[in-house]
Amino acid sequence: MSDDDDFMQESDPEQYDFEYEDDDDQETADVDVENKYYNAKQMKVDNPQEAIEEFLGLPALEEEKGDWGFKGLKQAIKLEFKLGKYDEVSTFVILNYKFSLYGQAITHYGELLTYVKSAVTRNYSEKSINNMLDFIEKGADNSEAYRCLERFYSLTLESFQSTNNERLWLKTNIKLARLWLDKKDYAQLVKKLRELHKACQLDDGSDDPNKGTYSLEIYALEIQMYAETKNNKRLKALYQRALKVKSAVPHPKILGTIRECGGKMHMTEENWKEAQTDFFESFRNFDEAGSSQRLQVLKYLVLATMLMKSDINPFDSQETKPYRNEPRIAAMTDLVDAYQRDDIHQYEKILQTNKDVLDDPFIAENIDEVTRNIRMKAMLNLIAPYTRFTLDFIAKQLKISRVEVQDIIGFLIIDQKIKGKVDQDKGIVEIDTDPVLSRTESMSRWASATRTLWSTVLNDAEGFRMDDQSLSLGHGMGGPIGTQMTNYESARSTGPKVTNGLGKHRGPKKGGVR
């Protein structure tokens, strides 16, 4: 036995033992809570009600509020909202005393917010609350769900009012403003937007460049409100102001919304080209954001292209080409193709077959202008050979009513596309033809063409230009200029006499000029 062994044998065990903190029970508890959480997650699809009960049991397993209780409440609230259990009150009586138990989504969300101040970190809690509100917002599809969502926003604002978390306060208020916009509660929305604008401004009333992203989101909400209420004057001013915000890095969906409203504004002003530009930019932003709104805006782009009478197909660009064969916009694709080919019968057939195209109020409001344009063009081509025709003849050829024909004839006369008069009683149209005016216009065009030719020949043609060296030497066409002119005059005076067929000579008159 070595000395070391003897030393260890003789030593007092208690004197040399280290005291370790016993964490076995705590670790076992954490494992149990974790297992309970993941078991509940597996039950979400098949047995959501039982999963809710499991999730709600997690907070009780923790001695202090912690991550697992926070996670459990989050999962339970989402399931309750999905099942429509917003805030159900259970009433029961024990020993003649009435008790009310609130045990659904709103109540549990209030409990969740108590974890934010101390149990979880600020960044984690902020991200979790934002995700929770986004989930609830996307799932709200009825009045009760909207009421629940509004209550969620109110509880969030109350909870974070004391924490001085301005970022979450802004985000939540913007979500609340969006809710009131969806509900068309414009009175509440105006108040909230005024409050948000003030929070994003400097003392002098200008936009705070550090809050440019929030400012742009607020502008987008306000622009949507003015677009829905048809207040184009305020919309235009706000739209121009929003485009000047350069300090923001907004989500593409926000820019897509602003551009879409701008395009609609330009359409009401019949500024088709600007509308097309805005709709194209809106489509690009929605496409970048992966938003389904891109297809709706693409329809508006097609509509604006037809209204501006462009020959360029909107699906020829690199951004829109992948959607050319998209079934949900196939009707608009066929419509613009028929329009650009001036095939009025195919155009009318597409509109009759695809009634759902007109389900969109904006398209229904503007498609009449497109239809009138293609009918006017078809009518001009049809009546070109005629000076007199009947309304019934045009109606039969274009397959439209006599009243519609008369309206289009009226537009053509007002726009001075044709000069004529309509006999409404007899249903006859007579086109005015002024032969003197026609000859005058023809002579004017001929004179203009002659001047153009004369200018081209003298200024641009090379065949009639004389070279400078020849002019300086006195050589022109076949010899010296002086000699040539002398010989020419001599030929005129001494040359043979030619008769004009009447027995009279056509010699030079006195002075050599005839």
Side-chain angles (χ1 to χ4, degrees), residues 124 156 198 291 305 332 390 452:
Y124 176 58
T156 305
K198 188 175 181 180
S291 171
T305 302
M332 294 300 290
T390 65
T452 303

Side-chain angles (χ1 to χ4, degrees), residues 57-72:
L58 291 174
L61 297 178
E62 293 184 312
E63 294 181 3
E64 296 181 357
K65 291 180 178 179
D67 286 345
W68 293 112
F70 186 75
K71 291 179 180 179

Side-chain angles (χ1 to χ4, degrees), residues 407-438:
D407 288 342
I408 296 173
I409 292 290
F411 276 110
L412 290 173
I413 292 174
I414 292 172
D415 290 344
Q416 297 184 350
K417 299 285 182 64
I418 60 175
K419 296 180 177 67
K421 54 188 177 181
V422 182
D423 187 337
Q424 295 183 357
D425 295 333
K426 297 180 180 179
I428 296 175
V429 181
E430 293 185 2
I431 304 298
D432 294 338
T433 55
D434 189 344
V436 176
L437 182 61
S438 299

Side-chain angles (χ1 to χ4, degrees), residues 468-486:
D468 295 339
Q469 185 178 2
S470 299
L471 288 173
S472 63
L473 295 174
H475 294 283
M477 295 181 290
I481 294 176
T483 305
Q484 183 182 353
M485 292 297 295
T486 303

Side-chain angles (χ1 to χ4, degrees), residues 376-386 393-395 397-398:
M376 287 170 66
K377 196 169 183 179
M379 191 175 294
L380 284 172
N381 293 334
L382 182 61
I383 67 176
Y386 304 102
F393 166 73
I394 301 298
Q397 294 296 318
L398 299 184

